[in-house]
Amino acid sequence: MELNQQSRKIERYRRRIGLAQSFVNISNKIWAFLDDDCEVTALIDSVQQQTLKIHDLEFQREFILTLVYAKCDAIERIKLWDSPYALASDMTTSWLVGGDFNVISYEEEKIRGLHVSLNEVDNFRHCVNTFNLFDMGFKGSIYTWWNGRADEDCIFKRLDRCLANMEFQQMMLGMEITHLSKVGSDHSPMLLSYNLGTTPIKKSFRFLNFWAEHESFRDVVKENWTADFHANPFKNASLEEVVLAHEVLFELFPTTSNRERLQKVQAELFKYLAIEEQFWKKKTGMQWFQDGNRNTKFFHAQVNGRRKRLQLRRIQNNNGIWLEDTGSMDEEAVRFFNAQFKEERVQQLLAF
């Protein structure tokens, strides 16, 4: 059940950022989801890490991505620290390293539990410094792992992080790492987002008929139909934000009652994740889509393929000039359709 929930969550974030390609390492512990516009070459594929060379065709950028799933045993982790030495010795390409390192870097990254071995911490720090990597920072809770218990038996740690060399940080100046909620797992997924400064596009209104099956559909429609839209709109926090808030409360006060409240809002989130499944079923138009038995790679390829086919990258104006800038394309589209629905007056020169 827990694995199924975790798979749902991974698929949800995969859909959110529109990724289609997938790569799984030999231990089936590391999953990489990448855009179709990327050319990928596997450099290292081991039990504890997967290193990929990625060439972004759209922006013509190249970088190395190392995904980590470290062993719980400290001796086994030393093999992980040793494995990228040859790769890092002459590294001049942008390099991002992220995942579950199964060790903290400072005493402050842990609450309760057994005393941390300084040798383990020193080995990890030495590895990071030797590879010339720097912590990318994060937004959200500092603790990315929870042992699932409450009261005095509760333990929090920061075991997951993203590290990068200077070249990668200079290439991705706007990148942010967010620690998401621990729904369906004892770890917080890390969401890496990069703001390209694009202007959001206004889309037409569409109604998905599965909302009519929701128990509160009629009440919501009736309430909003008679609402005063001149008043200040009231915006509820998303269920994910509610889950994150309860996680923070539980980290501060890990009581049994707070754990029960957290589990209650998590169950509510799972309920609406099922509705989101219906959304994607409707969006793709695949009637054979079945919960728990779906070809996700083909499923997302259908959605992403349609999105790519409908995407305009450039248009040609009346003078035969290709326009690629978003602002220029917007202005040309407005001008074109204004001319279509407007009668132009033709001035005639009269000779006497």
Side-chain angles (χ1 to χ4, degrees), residues 306-318:
R306 183 172 183 271
R307 184 182 297 125
K308 289 180 182 296
R309 289 193 300 271
L310 296 177
Q311 186 176 9
L312 285 178
R313 296 189 181 274
R314 62 175 186 165
I315 62 175
Q316 192 175 35
N317 64 12
N318 286 342

Side-chain angles (χ1 to χ4, degrees), residues 9 13 99 109 135-145 157-162 176-182 187-192 240 244 247 251:
K9 186 169 188 180
Y13 292 121
E109 295 179 342
D135 196 305
M136 293 284 287
F138 60 90
K139 294 167 61 178
S141 172
I142 183 176
Y143 308 110
T144 64
W145 177 82
K157 293 181 182 180
R158 185 193 180 195
L159 302 181
D160 309 82
R161 66 189 74 234
C162 284
E176 288 186 343
I177 291 89
T178 304
H179 294 168
L180 302 170
S181 61
K182 307 176 187 69
H187 285 263
S188 297
M190 294 183 295
L191 177 63
L192 281 67
E240 260 194 78
L244 285 170
E247 285 185 357
E251 288 173 2

Side-chain angles (χ1 to χ4, degrees), residues 18 46 50 64 70 92 144 171 210 294 323 337:
S46 64
Q50 184 181 52
I64 304 298
T92 57
T144 64
M171 183 179 70
F210 68 79
R294 60 189 184 275
L323 306 176
F337 286 104

